[in-house]
Amino acid sequence: MGLLMLLMTSVASPQALLDKFLPEALGHKGWHVREQGLLLIAKAMDQFGKQALLISRHMNNICKLTGDANFQVRDQAISTLVAIYRHIGEKMRFDLAKRDLPPSRLNVLNAKFDEVRASGTMMATASVGGVVTGAVMGT
């Protein structure tokens, strides 16, 4: 993963590398590859932010992995969605509500989003209740 992060900063745009790597990684038969693909998304969001990445084209695969047979992949998929929420904000809730997630999984995600919002760690660019926050909170 370190090599991909290095390539994102020096050789190609983060979006181009994610678009090339993620479809294969998130659909791979090896659970560890799927888990690392999800981790890459979370790290890329933290390093490059929502301005440099368009994650919406990968959301179906991420949401699908919240129901993966492997618990580590499921947990990482939820953590990845939470990392994306930190950058995107409340729009993420509306987007997830439109997807075919089981209500129990959607409730877990909304509870995690509430925890992040209450902790004050939302990013400056995230919308919170229709308002974009002014600074990175909690730092």
Side-chain angles (χ1 to χ4, degrees):
M1 176 163 0
L3 177 60
L4 282 173
M5 293 300 288
L6 179 63
L7 289 172
M8 285 183 191
T9 58
S10 60
V11 176
S13 74
Q15 186 68 52
L17 284 172
L18 285 179
D19 288 346
K20 185 148 183 84
F21 174 75
L22 285 180
E24 181 91 16
L26 297 181
H28 199 275
K29 70 177 187 173
W31 70 267
H32 193 64
V33 177
R34 295 190 304 273
E35 178 190 37
Q36 291 300 305
L38 291 164
L39 187 59
L40 180 64
I41 295 169
K43 287 188 178 247
M45 281 298 289
D46 285 340
Q47 184 165 348
F48 301 106
K50 76 176 190 176
Q51 293 80 10
L53 300 172
L54 180 62
I55 298 296
S56 60
R57 61 184 67 159
H58 304 291
M59 285 299 290
N60 283 336
N61 287 330
I62 298 169
C63 289
K64 181 178 161 188
L65 291 174
T66 62
D68 195 85
N70 183 279
F71 78 93
Q72 291 163 304
V73 175
R74 286 192 307 268
D75 289 349
Q76 187 57 54
I78 290 171
S79 295
T80 299
L81 290 170
V82 170
I84 295 168
Y85 173 78
R86 285 184 61 240
H87 291 270
I88 305 296
E90 291 299 309
K91 291 184 220 172
M92 181 88 167
R93 287 184 201 257
F94 300 118
D95 182 52
L96 290 176
K98 295 176 189 174
R99 298 183 184 270
D100 290 333
L101 288 171
S104 61
R105 212 170 302 149
L106 196 54
N107 290 339
V108 167
L109 284 166
N110 283 326
K112 297 249 184 215
F113 294 163
D114 290 340
E115 288 174 17
V116 168
R117 187 172 176 186
S119 73
T121 58
M122 298 294 289
M123 300 305 291
T125 56
S127 63
V128 180
V131 177
V132 175
T133 59
V136 176
M137 300 162 54
T139 57

